[in-house]
Amino acid sequence: MSAFKAPTGTHDLLPPASARAEACVARFSTLARRDGFGLLNSPVFEDAEVFRRSSGESSEVVSKEMYEFEDKGGRHLALRPEGTASVVRAFVEHKPPVPWKTWYLAPIFRYERPQAGRYRQHHQLGVEVIGTEDPDVDAEVISLGHDYLDALGLSQIALGVNSLGDDVCMPGYREVLVAYLAEHENELCDEHRTRYRLNPLRVLDCKKPDCLRVREGAPRLSQYWCEPCREHFARVTEGLDAAGIVWRQDDFLVRGLDYYTRTTFEFAAESLDAAQNVLIGGGRYDKLSAMLGGPDVGGIGFGSGLERVLLACDAEGALKDVTVAPDVFVVDVTTGRLARDVGRLLRRAGIAAERAYDGRSMKAQLRLADRSGARIAAIFGSDEQRDGTVTLRVLRGDDAGKQETIALDDLEQMVREWSS
Ligand code: HAM
């Protein structure tokens, strides 16, 4: 009896499926490096206050979904429910020169109701730029998100962009919105009927039909932007146009965390169910460093759910050809020493070589070779051992079954030729 299972809402990611996740990480890190970002590893847990102060009590992520615990030393900690607060905490602690550009791959924990594309542990690939409010950075960060999805071969993607304004214009909009919501209080969903005053923007983010109906007639944020916010937004979108990136303004794109100011954006997969289709979400957080006791400097970044990106790849048939199959499978029915030594030489020459163990029969080894996905088998029987040769056999593709016995010295070169 198998007693233990991965906890509800979590998943094991096994090979060969994990090869696609590896490809996402590799493509992301290549682009992040290209754009000047360095890897940041931060702890998986932090003082719970870091998240509470950053994301705000009115965000569900903090108020309902945090995994909080006390350690043996009586410290109140939380498993990271999002990446940005940890990065800003590290920025405030280490005081690196600005602009500070980091990327991360981080497990994230949220006590959510598990469903397709929504898990209690997921992984985010993300970037953050801290120390500048220049709108060209916003466009650069959004472009990186675009290039990442493009590099995966995803094309059914919609980019929404908005600005939440700043200290000057946001309070005015908030007042108008609260007044509007008060008029429609009884039409709101159960939760927001009583909570809308705490943070009225949450109502604009609510996916329940009642709130969506009220939202239709709500005052539009963009009508209340002050001149500097208007100019900031114009320069961001000018940068997107210059990069040839298609975007659309979305007045209701307010995001689910409380630290955002000015630019917010989301890349959504049109191939997925609308409730869980955001592949990349991000925005500016110009007050966050100061909120965590650091200098009053701006920042912007995004997080991208790895599991969701893989679902979108499934839906669009992207990354189909990514496999963990070796280039060659070495079959040895002599003593196993040829598999051992030739396998090692091939690997050191940069060729992915696999082999069987435990002295299996020819039939069993060929079955394993086939299952491995290798295109070629390099076979050693007693004849080959005696003659210093090896028999190459093509296992799949148009020329499957093709076979040739060659000098052992030519193996590396022939494997390369037959693999291409
Ligand atoms: P977020 O929108 O909460 O933003 O999460 C970012 C992305 O993580 C989402 O767009 C989605 O792809 C994925 N995601 C979120 N929750 C789940 C879940 N329960 N299961 C699977 N995937 C999920 C943030 O966390 C911000 N820190 C992003 C950011 C970075 N803003 C500025 N810098």
Side-chain angles (χ1 to χ4, degrees):
M1 190 180 82
S2 153
F4 297 115
K5 288 203 157 115
T8 305
T10 69
H11 296 278
D12 299 311
L13 181 57
L14 311 178
S18 55
R20 290 157 58 249
E22 266 187 88
C24 291
V25 175
R27 285 172 207 197
F28 188 88
S29 66
T30 302
L31 293 171
R33 167 154 279 279
R34 177 199 75 175
D35 289 7
F37 292 85
L39 174 69
L40 173 73
N41 263 346
S42 64
V44 94
F45 54 82
E46 298 267 355
D47 186 327
E49 195 54 27
V50 169
F51 304 116
R52 210 170 287 284
R53 226 191 271 176
S54 308
S55 311
E57 284 298 338
S58 79
S59 76
E60 296 210 334
V61 167
V62 166
S63 64
K64 295 190 194 155
E65 297 171 358
M66 267 210 305
Y67 280 87
E68 294 179 71
F69 61 99
E70 201 159 285
D71 75 1
K72 293 186 199 300
R75 298 171 195 87
H76 191 65
L77 302 170
L79 297 184
R80 171 170 55 203
E82 63 103 21
T84 310
S86 304
V87 178
V88 176
R89 194 272 309 141
F91 169 76
V92 172
E93 182 175 337
H94 300 288
K95 307 180 183 61
V98 296
W100 195 48
K101 298 172 70 172
T102 60
W103 73 273
Y104 49 87
L105 166 60
I108 305 281
F109 305 87
R110 297 182 184 178
Y111 194 80
E112 303 211 63
R113 195 166 59 77
Q115 51 198 296
R118 198 171 286 282
Y119 312 110
R120 292 190 175 161
Q121 176 178 344
H122 71 277
H123 296 80
Q124 280 186 27
L125 282 161
V127 293
E128 311 291 347
V129 183
I130 305 178
T132 167
E133 296 186 13
D134 192 321
D136 285 356
V137 173
D138 305 35
E140 271 187 32
V141 164
I142 298 172
S143 298
L144 173 56
H146 167 274
D147 290 357
Y148 167 54
L149 299 181
D150 195 50
L152 300 178
L154 291 171
S155 59
Q156 294 165 40
I157 301 290
L159 167 62
V161 188
N162 193 19
S163 169
L164 296 189
D166 61 7
D167 282 355
V168 174
C169 53
M170 183 36 117
Y173 174 69
R174 219 178 239 266
E175 259 176 46
V176 180
L177 182 59
V178 168
Y180 170 81
L181 294 176
E183 278 172 35
H184 297 270
E185 201 174 271
N186 295 330
E187 300 157 47
L188 294 172
C189 76
D190 289 348
E191 183 189 344
H192 287 120
R193 201 172 309 141
T194 51
R195 278 171 65 93
Y196 72 90
R197 280 174 203 278
L198 178 64
N199 185 348
L201 293 186
R202 284 285 91 78
V203 178
L204 303 182
D205 200 33
C206 179
K207 304 289 181 280
K208 305 229 175 69
D210 289 345
C211 285
L212 286 174
R213 260 192 304 276
V214 174
R215 193 175 90 163
E216 285 294 302
R220 307 281 151 151
L221 185 48
S222 51
Q223 313 254 295
Y224 294 81
W225 290 338
C226 59
E227 201 44 40
C229 284
R230 197 173 295 284
E231 279 168 18
H232 188 98
F233 186 79
R235 177 76 184 208
V236 174
T237 52
E238 182 193 315
L240 296 179
D241 290 338
I245 294 172
V246 179
W247 59 277
R248 125 194 105 70
Q249 193 195 330
D250 179 351
D251 271 303
F252 299 130
L253 206 167
V254 296
R255 311 268 303 127
L257 299 153
D258 287 354
Y259 49 61
Y260 291 111
T261 51
R262 291 194 165 162
T263 311
T264 52
F265 60 95
E266 287 180 352
F267 289 87
E270 287 161 342
S271 56
L272 296 181
D273 187 59
Q276 283 88 232
N277 72 348
V278 179
L279 303 185
I280 295 181
R284 201 160 251 299
Y285 42 84
D286 291 341
K287 301 286 157 223
L288 189 50
S289 168
M291 275 156 65
L292 291 181
D296 188 10
V297 295
I300 179 162
F302 68 71
S304 174
L306 184 55
E307 291 80 0
R308 263 195 216 177
V309 164
L310 291 175
L311 287 178
C313 287
D314 279 344
E316 280 202 40
L319 292 186
K320 258 204 325 268
D321 300 331
V322 173
T323 72
V324 287
D327 300 316
V328 58
F329 195 102
V330 183
V331 171
D332 178 3
V333 288
T334 65
T335 63
R337 290 192 178 87
L338 282 159
R340 181 189 69 191
D341 298 336
V342 172
R344 188 188 60 245
L345 287 174
L346 288 170
R347 285 176 176 175
R348 286 196 173 156
I351 292 169
E354 195 48 277
R355 57 162 292 192
Y357 302 97
D358 303 315
R360 305 282 188 98
S361 70
M362 173 72 91
K363 197 167 155 216
Q365 290 196 40
L366 281 172
R367 203 167 40 231
L368 287 170
D370 191 49
R371 200 193 297 160
S372 76
R375 207 180 101 75
I376 299 165
I379 304 168
F380 294 99
S382 45
D383 291 355
E384 285 86 355
Q385 185 186 28
R386 186 192 59 226
D387 301 342
T389 57
V390 54
T391 297
L392 276 190
R393 183 186 297 176
V394 176
L395 298 175
R396 46 185 24 86
D398 292 344
D399 48 354
K402 178 171 117 177
Q403 183 164 310
E404 205 173 305
T405 299
I406 59 168
L408 186 50
D409 285 346
D410 295 336
L411 177 61
E412 185 190 323
Q413 191 199 334
M414 290 294 281
V415 167
R416 288 193 199 284
E417 275 174 29
W418 283 29
S419 302
S420 56

Short mmCIF file of all heavy atoms in Angstrom, two decimals, residues 333-386:
data_model
loop_
_atom_site.label_atom_id
_atom_site.label_comp_id
_atom_site.label_asym_id
_atom_site.label_seq_id
_atom_site.Cartn_x
_atom_site.Cartn_y
_atom_site.Cartn_z
N VAL A 333 26.38 -6.72 -25.11
CA VAL A 333 26.06 -8.04 -24.56
C VAL A 333 27.33 -8.85 -24.31
O VAL A 333 27.29 -10.07 -24.22
CB VAL A 333 25.08 -8.84 -25.46
CG1 VAL A 333 23.69 -8.23 -25.37
CG2 VAL A 333 25.55 -8.88 -26.90
N THR A 334 28.48 -8.15 -24.23
CA THR A 334 29.72 -8.86 -23.88
C THR A 334 29.89 -8.81 -22.37
O THR A 334 29.18 -9.49 -21.66
CB THR A 334 30.92 -8.27 -24.64
OG1 THR A 334 31.15 -6.94 -24.23
CG2 THR A 334 30.68 -8.30 -26.15
N THR A 335 30.76 -7.94 -21.90
CA THR A 335 30.99 -7.89 -20.45
C THR A 335 30.42 -6.63 -19.81
O THR A 335 30.52 -6.46 -18.59
CB THR A 335 32.50 -7.89 -20.17
OG1 THR A 335 33.05 -6.70 -20.75
CG2 THR A 335 33.17 -9.11 -20.76
N GLY A 336 29.92 -5.72 -20.61
CA GLY A 336 29.46 -4.44 -20.07
C GLY A 336 30.57 -3.40 -20.03
O GLY A 336 30.32 -2.21 -19.82
N ARG A 337 31.81 -3.84 -20.25
CA ARG A 337 32.92 -2.87 -20.16
C ARG A 337 32.92 -1.92 -21.34
O ARG A 337 33.33 -0.77 -21.23
CB ARG A 337 34.27 -3.60 -20.07
CG ARG A 337 34.45 -4.30 -18.75
CD ARG A 337 35.88 -4.78 -18.55
NE ARG A 337 36.00 -5.41 -17.24
CZ ARG A 337 35.74 -6.70 -16.99
NH1 ARG A 337 35.38 -7.52 -17.97
NH2 ARG A 337 35.83 -7.19 -15.77
N LEU A 338 32.48 -2.43 -22.49
CA LEU A 338 32.43 -1.55 -23.67
C LEU A 338 31.36 -0.47 -23.47
O LEU A 338 31.59 0.70 -23.77
CB LEU A 338 32.16 -2.39 -24.93
CG LEU A 338 33.40 -3.13 -25.43
CD1 LEU A 338 33.01 -4.31 -26.32
CD2 LEU A 338 34.34 -2.19 -26.17
N ALA A 339 30.21 -0.89 -22.94
CA ALA A 339 29.16 0.11 -22.64
C ALA A 339 29.71 1.14 -21.67
O ALA A 339 29.51 2.35 -21.83
CB ALA A 339 27.92 -0.57 -22.07
N ARG A 340 30.43 0.65 -20.66
CA ARG A 340 30.97 1.56 -19.64
C ARG A 340 31.95 2.56 -20.27
O ARG A 340 31.80 3.76 -20.11
CB ARG A 340 31.68 0.74 -18.57
CG ARG A 340 32.28 1.55 -17.44
CD ARG A 340 33.14 0.68 -16.54
NE ARG A 340 34.36 0.24 -17.22
CZ ARG A 340 35.20 -0.70 -16.74
NH1 ARG A 340 34.93 -1.32 -15.62
NH2 ARG A 340 36.28 -1.04 -17.41
N ASP A 341 32.94 2.03 -21.03
CA ASP A 341 34.05 2.88 -21.46
C ASP A 341 33.69 3.70 -22.71
O ASP A 341 34.01 4.87 -22.80
CB ASP A 341 35.29 2.02 -21.71
CG ASP A 341 35.73 1.34 -20.41
OD1 ASP A 341 35.39 1.88 -19.32
OD2 ASP A 341 36.38 0.28 -20.47
N VAL A 342 32.99 3.06 -23.64
CA VAL A 342 32.59 3.80 -24.84
C VAL A 342 31.53 4.84 -24.47
O VAL A 342 31.56 5.97 -24.94
CB VAL A 342 32.07 2.83 -25.93
CG1 VAL A 342 31.48 3.59 -27.10
CG2 VAL A 342 33.20 1.92 -26.40
N GLY A 343 30.63 4.44 -23.59
CA GLY A 343 29.60 5.38 -23.12
C GLY A 343 30.24 6.62 -22.51
O GLY A 343 29.85 7.75 -22.79
N ARG A 344 31.27 6.38 -21.68
CA ARG A 344 31.93 7.53 -21.03
C ARG A 344 32.62 8.42 -22.06
O ARG A 344 32.52 9.64 -22.01
CB ARG A 344 32.96 7.01 -20.03
CG ARG A 344 33.57 8.09 -19.16
CD ARG A 344 34.72 7.60 -18.32
NE ARG A 344 35.80 7.07 -19.14
CZ ARG A 344 36.21 5.80 -19.16
NH1 ARG A 344 35.64 4.91 -18.39
NH2 ARG A 344 37.20 5.42 -19.94
N LEU A 345 33.30 7.79 -23.06
CA LEU A 345 34.00 8.58 -24.08
C LEU A 345 33.00 9.43 -24.88
O LEU A 345 33.26 10.60 -25.16
CB LEU A 345 34.77 7.66 -25.04
CG LEU A 345 36.02 7.01 -24.43
CD1 LEU A 345 36.63 6.00 -25.39
CD2 LEU A 345 37.06 8.09 -24.08
N LEU A 346 31.88 8.80 -25.21
CA LEU A 346 30.87 9.56 -25.98
C LEU A 346 30.35 10.74 -25.14
O LEU A 346 30.23 11.86 -25.62
CB LEU A 346 29.70 8.66 -26.37
CG LEU A 346 29.99 7.62 -27.46
CD1 LEU A 346 28.84 6.62 -27.57
CD2 LEU A 346 30.25 8.30 -28.80
N ARG A 347 30.05 10.47 -23.87
CA ARG A 347 29.54 11.55 -23.00
C ARG A 347 30.57 12.68 -22.90
O ARG A 347 30.22 13.85 -22.98
CB ARG A 347 29.23 11.01 -21.61
CG ARG A 347 27.94 10.21 -21.59
CD ARG A 347 27.71 9.62 -20.22
NE ARG A 347 26.42 8.92 -20.17
CZ ARG A 347 26.01 8.23 -19.12
NH1 ARG A 347 26.76 8.12 -18.05
NH2 ARG A 347 24.83 7.64 -19.15
N ARG A 348 31.82 12.33 -22.74
CA ARG A 348 32.84 13.38 -22.62
C ARG A 348 33.01 14.14 -23.92
O ARG A 348 33.50 15.27 -23.92
CB ARG A 348 34.17 12.77 -22.18
CG ARG A 348 34.10 12.40 -20.71
CD ARG A 348 35.46 12.16 -20.12
NE ARG A 348 35.37 11.96 -18.68
CZ ARG A 348 36.25 11.31 -17.95
NH1 ARG A 348 37.32 10.78 -18.52
NH2 ARG A 348 36.09 11.21 -16.66
N ALA A 349 32.61 13.53 -25.02
CA ALA A 349 32.66 14.23 -26.31
C ALA A 349 31.39 15.07 -26.51
O ALA A 349 31.18 15.66 -27.57
CB ALA A 349 32.81 13.23 -27.44
N GLY A 350 30.53 15.10 -25.49
CA GLY A 350 29.34 15.97 -25.57
C GLY A 350 28.13 15.28 -26.20
O GLY A 350 27.16 15.94 -26.55
N ILE A 351 28.19 13.95 -26.33
CA ILE A 351 27.07 13.20 -26.91
C ILE A 351 26.28 12.57 -25.76
O ILE A 351 26.88 11.94 -24.88
CB ILE A 351 27.59 12.12 -27.87
CG1 ILE A 351 28.21 12.82 -29.11
CG2 ILE A 351 26.49 11.16 -28.28
CD1 ILE A 351 29.00 11.88 -30.00
N ALA A 352 24.95 12.75 -25.77
CA ALA A 352 24.13 12.17 -24.71
C ALA A 352 24.02 10.67 -24.95
O ALA A 352 23.37 10.24 -25.90
CB ALA A 352 22.75 12.81 -24.69
N ALA A 353 24.70 9.89 -24.11
CA ALA A 353 24.74 8.43 -24.31
C ALA A 353 24.12 7.74 -23.10
O ALA A 353 24.40 8.08 -21.96
CB ALA A 353 26.19 7.99 -24.47
N GLU A 354 23.26 6.76 -23.38
CA GLU A 354 22.63 5.99 -22.30
C GLU A 354 22.98 4.52 -22.51
O GLU A 354 23.41 4.12 -23.60
CB GLU A 354 21.11 6.24 -22.34
CG GLU A 354 20.35 5.81 -21.11
CD GLU A 354 21.01 6.28 -19.81
OE1 GLU A 354 21.95 5.60 -19.33
OE2 GLU A 354 20.58 7.31 -19.28
N ARG A 355 22.82 3.72 -21.48
CA ARG A 355 23.15 2.30 -21.58
C ARG A 355 22.26 1.51 -20.62
O ARG A 355 21.54 2.10 -19.80
CB ARG A 355 24.62 2.06 -21.21
CG ARG A 355 24.95 2.56 -19.83
CD ARG A 355 26.24 1.98 -19.28
NE ARG A 355 26.11 0.56 -19.00
CZ ARG A 355 27.01 -0.14 -18.30
NH1 ARG A 355 28.08 0.45 -17.82
NH2 ARG A 355 26.84 -1.43 -18.06
N ALA A 356 22.32 0.19 -20.74
CA ALA A 356 21.58 -0.68 -19.80
C ALA A 356 22.55 -1.18 -18.73
O ALA A 356 23.76 -1.13 -18.92
CB ALA A 356 21.00 -1.86 -20.56
N TYR A 357 22.00 -1.64 -17.63
CA TYR A 357 22.83 -2.19 -16.55
C TYR A 357 22.41 -3.63 -16.27
O TYR A 357 21.44 -4.13 -16.84
CB TYR A 357 22.68 -1.34 -15.29
CG TYR A 357 23.06 0.11 -15.51
CD1 TYR A 357 22.07 1.06 -15.78
CD2 TYR A 357 24.38 0.52 -15.50
CE1 TYR A 357 22.41 2.38 -16.02
CE2 TYR A 357 24.74 1.84 -15.74
CZ TYR A 357 23.74 2.76 -15.99
OH TYR A 357 24.08 4.06 -16.24
N ASP A 358 23.11 -4.26 -15.37
CA ASP A 358 22.72 -5.57 -14.84
C ASP A 358 22.79 -6.70 -15.86
O ASP A 358 22.07 -7.69 -15.74
CB ASP A 358 21.30 -5.53 -14.23
CG ASP A 358 21.19 -4.47 -13.16
OD1 ASP A 358 22.11 -4.39 -12.31
OD2 ASP A 358 20.21 -3.69 -13.17
N GLY A 359 23.68 -6.56 -16.88
CA GLY A 359 23.92 -7.66 -17.81
C GLY A 359 22.68 -8.20 -18.48
O GLY A 359 22.47 -9.41 -18.53
N ARG A 360 21.85 -7.32 -19.02
CA ARG A 360 20.60 -7.78 -19.67
C ARG A 360 20.88 -8.45 -21.02
O ARG A 360 21.91 -8.24 -21.63
CB ARG A 360 19.68 -6.59 -19.93
CG ARG A 360 19.34 -5.76 -18.73
CD ARG A 360 18.27 -6.47 -17.90
NE ARG A 360 17.80 -5.59 -16.84
CZ ARG A 360 16.69 -4.87 -16.93
NH1 ARG A 360 15.93 -4.93 -18.00
NH2 ARG A 360 16.32 -4.12 -15.93
N SER A 361 19.87 -9.18 -21.50
CA SER A 361 19.97 -9.84 -22.81
C SER A 361 19.91 -8.80 -23.92
O SER A 361 19.49 -7.66 -23.70
CB SER A 361 18.80 -10.81 -22.98
OG SER A 361 17.61 -10.05 -23.12
N MET A 362 20.30 -9.21 -25.13
CA MET A 362 20.23 -8.32 -26.30
C MET A 362 18.81 -7.79 -26.48
O MET A 362 18.60 -6.59 -26.68
CB MET A 362 20.67 -9.11 -27.55
CG MET A 362 20.49 -8.36 -28.85
SD MET A 362 21.68 -7.03 -29.05
CE MET A 362 22.99 -7.90 -29.90
N LYS A 363 17.84 -8.72 -26.38
CA LYS A 363 16.44 -8.32 -26.60
C LYS A 363 16.01 -7.25 -25.57
O LYS A 363 15.41 -6.23 -25.91
CB LYS A 363 15.56 -9.56 -26.45
CG LYS A 363 14.20 -9.39 -27.03
CD LYS A 363 13.50 -10.73 -27.14
CE LYS A 363 12.01 -10.49 -27.13
NZ LYS A 363 11.27 -11.51 -26.44
N ALA A 364 16.37 -7.50 -24.30
CA ALA A 364 15.98 -6.57 -23.24
C ALA A 364 16.66 -5.22 -23.44
O ALA A 364 16.05 -4.16 -23.26
CB ALA A 364 16.33 -7.16 -21.88
N GLN A 365 17.94 -5.26 -23.81
CA GLN A 365 18.66 -3.99 -24.00
C GLN A 365 18.10 -3.20 -25.18
O GLN A 365 17.99 -1.97 -25.11
CB GLN A 365 20.17 -4.25 -24.22
CG GLN A 365 20.86 -4.76 -22.97
CD GLN A 365 22.38 -4.66 -23.05
OE1 GLN A 365 22.91 -3.69 -23.56
NE2 GLN A 365 23.07 -5.67 -22.55
N LEU A 366 17.74 -3.91 -26.25
CA LEU A 366 17.17 -3.21 -27.40
C LEU A 366 15.81 -2.61 -27.05
O LEU A 366 15.44 -1.54 -27.54
CB LEU A 366 17.07 -4.15 -28.61
CG LEU A 366 18.40 -4.37 -29.35
CD1 LEU A 366 18.25 -5.45 -30.41
CD2 LEU A 366 18.92 -3.07 -29.97
N ARG A 367 15.07 -3.31 -26.18
CA ARG A 367 13.78 -2.77 -25.75
C ARG A 367 13.99 -1.46 -24.95
O ARG A 367 13.30 -0.47 -25.14
CB ARG A 367 13.03 -3.80 -24.91
CG ARG A 367 11.53 -3.55 -24.90
CD ARG A 367 10.71 -4.70 -24.35
NE ARG A 367 11.33 -5.33 -23.20
CZ ARG A 367 11.55 -6.65 -23.09
NH1 ARG A 367 11.19 -7.46 -24.05
NH2 ARG A 367 12.11 -7.15 -22.00
N LEU A 368 14.99 -1.48 -24.08
CA LEU A 368 15.30 -0.27 -23.30
C LEU A 368 15.78 0.85 -24.22
O LEU A 368 15.43 2.03 -24.02
CB LEU A 368 16.40 -0.57 -22.26
CG LEU A 368 15.96 -1.41 -21.06
CD1 LEU A 368 17.17 -1.83 -20.25
CD2 LEU A 368 14.97 -0.63 -20.19
N ALA A 369 16.58 0.48 -25.22
CA ALA A 369 17.08 1.48 -26.17
C ALA A 369 15.90 2.14 -26.87
O ALA A 369 15.84 3.37 -27.01
CB ALA A 369 17.99 0.81 -27.20
N ASP A 370 14.93 1.32 -27.25
CA ASP A 370 13.76 1.86 -27.94
C ASP A 370 12.97 2.78 -27.01
O ASP A 370 12.57 3.88 -27.39
CB ASP A 370 12.90 0.68 -28.42
CG ASP A 370 11.82 1.17 -29.35
OD1 ASP A 370 12.17 1.93 -30.27
OD2 ASP A 370 10.64 0.83 -29.13
N ARG A 371 12.77 2.32 -25.77
CA ARG A 371 11.98 3.10 -24.82
C ARG A 371 12.67 4.43 -24.46
O ARG A 371 12.01 5.40 -24.11
CB ARG A 371 11.76 2.26 -23.55
CG ARG A 371 10.59 2.78 -22.73
CD ARG A 371 10.57 2.17 -21.36
NE ARG A 371 10.38 0.72 -21.39
CZ ARG A 371 10.69 -0.09 -20.37
NH1 ARG A 371 11.21 0.39 -19.26
NH2 ARG A 371 10.49 -1.37 -20.46
N SER A 372 13.99 4.47 -24.56
CA SER A 372 14.72 5.68 -24.18
C SER A 372 14.46 6.83 -25.15
O SER A 372 14.71 7.98 -24.84
CB SER A 372 16.23 5.40 -24.15
OG SER A 372 16.73 5.33 -25.48
N GLY A 373 13.97 6.48 -26.35
CA GLY A 373 13.74 7.53 -27.35
C GLY A 373 14.96 7.83 -28.19
O GLY A 373 14.92 8.70 -29.07
N ALA A 374 16.08 7.12 -27.92
CA ALA A 374 17.30 7.37 -28.70
C ALA A 374 17.05 7.08 -30.18
O ALA A 374 16.28 6.17 -30.52
CB ALA A 374 18.43 6.50 -28.19
N ARG A 375 17.70 7.84 -31.06
CA ARG A 375 17.52 7.58 -32.49
C ARG A 375 18.43 6.45 -32.95
O ARG A 375 18.12 5.72 -33.88
CB ARG A 375 17.84 8.86 -33.28
CG ARG A 375 17.10 8.94 -34.61
CD ARG A 375 17.43 10.21 -35.36
NE ARG A 375 18.40 10.00 -36.41
CZ ARG A 375 18.14 9.42 -37.56
NH1 ARG A 375 16.93 8.97 -37.82
NH2 ARG A 375 19.09 9.27 -38.47
N ILE A 376 19.55 6.29 -32.23
CA ILE A 376 20.56 5.33 -32.69
C ILE A 376 20.96 4.38 -31.56
O ILE A 376 21.07 4.80 -30.41
CB ILE A 376 21.83 6.09 -33.14
CG1 ILE A 376 21.48 7.04 -34.30
CG2 ILE A 376 22.94 5.14 -33.57
CD1 ILE A 376 22.56 8.05 -34.54
N ALA A 377 21.18 3.13 -31.90
CA ALA A 377 21.80 2.19 -30.96
C ALA A 377 23.20 1.87 -31.46
O ALA A 377 23.41 1.70 -32.67
CB ALA A 377 20.96 0.92 -30.86
N ALA A 378 24.15 1.82 -30.52
CA ALA A 378 25.52 1.37 -30.84
C ALA A 378 25.68 0.02 -30.18
O ALA A 378 25.64 -0.08 -28.95
CB ALA A 378 26.53 2.37 -30.30
N ILE A 379 25.78 -1.04 -31.01
CA ILE A 379 25.66 -2.40 -30.47
C ILE A 379 27.00 -3.14 -30.46
O ILE A 379 27.71 -3.17 -31.46
CB ILE A 379 24.63 -3.20 -31.33
CG1 ILE A 379 23.29 -2.44 -31.35
CG2 ILE A 379 24.46 -4.61 -30.79
CD1 ILE A 379 22.30 -2.96 -32.39
N PHE A 380 27.31 -3.70 -29.30
CA PHE A 380 28.51 -4.52 -29.15
C PHE A 380 28.11 -5.96 -28.83
O PHE A 380 27.55 -6.22 -27.76
CB PHE A 380 29.40 -4.01 -28.01
CG PHE A 380 30.00 -2.65 -28.27
CD1 PHE A 380 29.42 -1.51 -27.73
CD2 PHE A 380 31.12 -2.52 -29.08
CE1 PHE A 380 29.97 -0.27 -27.97
CE2 PHE A 380 31.68 -1.27 -29.32
CZ PHE A 380 31.11 -0.14 -28.77
N GLY A 381 28.40 -6.88 -29.78
CA GLY A 381 28.27 -8.31 -29.52
C GLY A 381 29.67 -8.91 -29.55
O GLY A 381 30.67 -8.17 -29.63
N SER A 382 29.76 -10.25 -29.54
CA SER A 382 31.10 -10.86 -29.48
C SER A 382 31.90 -10.58 -30.76
O SER A 382 33.12 -10.40 -30.70
CB SER A 382 30.99 -12.35 -29.20
OG SER A 382 29.98 -12.90 -30.02
N ASP A 383 31.23 -10.50 -31.92
CA ASP A 383 31.95 -10.21 -33.17
C ASP A 383 32.61 -8.83 -33.09
O ASP A 383 33.78 -8.66 -33.42
CB ASP A 383 30.99 -10.21 -34.38
CG ASP A 383 30.50 -11.62 -34.68
OD1 ASP A 383 30.98 -12.56 -34.01
OD2 ASP A 383 29.60 -11.76 -35.55
N GLU A 384 31.80 -7.86 -32.68
CA GLU A 384 32.31 -6.49 -32.59
C GLU A 384 33.47 -6.42 -31.59
O GLU A 384 34.47 -5.76 -31.84
CB GLU A 384 31.19 -5.52 -32.17
CG GLU A 384 30.19 -5.20 -33.27
CD GLU A 384 29.06 -6.23 -33.36
OE1 GLU A 384 29.10 -7.24 -32.62
OE2 GLU A 384 28.14 -6.02 -34.17
N GLN A 385 33.29 -7.14 -30.49
CA GLN A 385 34.34 -7.11 -29.46
C GLN A 385 35.66 -7.65 -30.04
O GLN A 385 36.72 -7.07 -29.85
CB GLN A 385 33.90 -7.96 -28.26
CG GLN A 385 34.87 -7.89 -27.10
CD GLN A 385 34.46 -8.86 -25.98
OE1 GLN A 385 33.84 -9.89 -26.23
NE2 GLN A 385 34.81 -8.51 -24.76
N ARG A 386 35.53 -8.75 -30.78
CA ARG A 386 36.71 -9.40 -31.37
C ARG A 386 37.36 -8.50 -32.43
O ARG A 386 38.57 -8.34 -32.46
CB ARG A 386 36.27 -10.74 -32.00
CG ARG A 386 37.43 -11.60 -32.54
CD ARG A 386 36.89 -12.72 -33.40
NE ARG A 386 36.12 -12.20 -34.54
CZ ARG A 386 34.92 -12.67 -34.93
NH1 ARG A 386 34.34 -13.67 -34.30
NH2 ARG A 386 34.32 -12.12 -35.97
#
